[in-house]
Amino acid sequence: MAILTIDLRTGRTGEQKRAFAAALLDVVSEAMGEPRENIHLILHENPGINFVEDAKHLPEFGSASTKP
């Protein structure tokens, strides 16, 4: 059994999270030879302020400063 824990900023839709989860399960299943049914995925969502990169707190996902 594989257990994956992913930390994300809040703000993604349920559809985006379902697509992300499905893609992760496919990749891990292929790479590890583990059936998708044996992979446990946990998505933790937190506000951007809880993430720090280069000594700066990240903005909320989808805010103007996170778009290219």
Side-chain angles (χ1 to χ4, degrees):
M1 173 185 272
I3 301 173
L4 305 172
T5 304
I6 306 294
D7 290 299
L8 303 167
R9 287 181 284 172
T10 54
R12 289 164 179 86
T13 66
E15 184 177 300
Q16 288 173 312
K17 289 183 275 189
R18 280 188 286 280
F20 181 58
L24 282 172
L25 292 174
D26 288 343
V27 168
V28 171
S29 178
E30 177 69 26
M32 303 296 289
E34 188 78 47
R36 287 176 103 231
E37 299 78 28
N38 291 349
I39 302 168
H40 188 76
L41 174 61
I42 303 162
L43 298 177
H44 290 280
E45 291 185 281
N46 290 285
I49 193 72
N50 291 355
F51 294 88
V52 179
E53 186 175 289
D54 282 336
K56 297 177 188 151
H57 291 274
L58 297 181
E60 296 306 310
F61 176 79
S63 68
S65 59
T66 63
K67 295 179 181 175

